[in-house]
């Protein structure tokens, strides 16, 4: 939890985390996100509003990130030291 907080603090400070973000946030999870989506879809269907859903797999997204730009962004938003090293280790 310490690592998540070290990453989240600068992101919150710079208003980079949307209120719609559920992963890696306190008291939120992928399950809470699914509940929100389910309720939204159910409400729309109850009111006769058509729904389109687009699912995107971002698993390969990190293959396309410029490491130099990522390092720059991490530093600009105050993510340094161990938190920065751990974030970059994901790309190895």
């Amino acid at each position: 939890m310490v690592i998540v907080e070290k990453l989240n603090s600068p992101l919150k400070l710079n208003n980079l985390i949307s209120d719609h973000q559920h992963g890696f946030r306190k008291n939120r999870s992928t399950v809470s996100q699914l509940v929100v989506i389910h309720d939204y879809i159910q409400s729309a269907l109850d009111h006769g509003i058509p729904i389109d859903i687009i699912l995107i797999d971002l698993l390969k997204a990190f293959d396309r990130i410029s490491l130099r730009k990522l390092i720059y962004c991490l530093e600009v938003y105050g993510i340094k030291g161990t938190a920065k090293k751990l974030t970059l280790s994901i790309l190895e």
Side-chain angles (χ1 to χ4, degrees):
M1 200 61 176
V2 171
I3 296 166
V4 170
E5 201 46 50
K6 282 191 175 246
L7 289 172
N8 279 338
S9 291
L11 297 175
K12 287 178 190 173
L13 216 61
N14 292 292
N15 294 318
L16 295 174
I17 294 184
S18 165
D19 191 45
H20 300 289
Q21 172 72 32
H22 280 251
F24 306 106
R25 294 202 50 203
K26 191 174 185 172
N27 299 322
R28 296 190 182 191
S29 66
T30 53
V31 173
S32 65
Q33 181 65 58
L34 287 172
V35 169
V36 169
I37 291 170
H38 175 270
D39 289 348
Y40 179 81
I41 292 169
Q42 190 63 54
S43 176
L45 293 174
D46 289 346
H47 291 91
I49 300 169
I51 294 287
D52 291 324
I53 298 174
I54 299 172
L55 303 173
I56 301 171
D57 182 0
L58 297 176
L59 186 62
K60 295 269 182 185
F62 285 106
D63 292 348
R64 303 196 190 302
I65 291 177
S66 161
L67 189 57
R68 210 165 102 229
K69 287 180 184 177
L70 176 61
I71 292 169
Y72 172 78
C73 288
L74 291 173
E75 291 172 352
V76 164
Y77 293 112
I79 298 172
K80 301 174 183 168
T82 304
K84 178 179 154 187
K85 287 178 188 174
L86 286 170
T87 302
L88 294 173
S89 74
I90 294 168
L91 300 175
E92 294 177 348

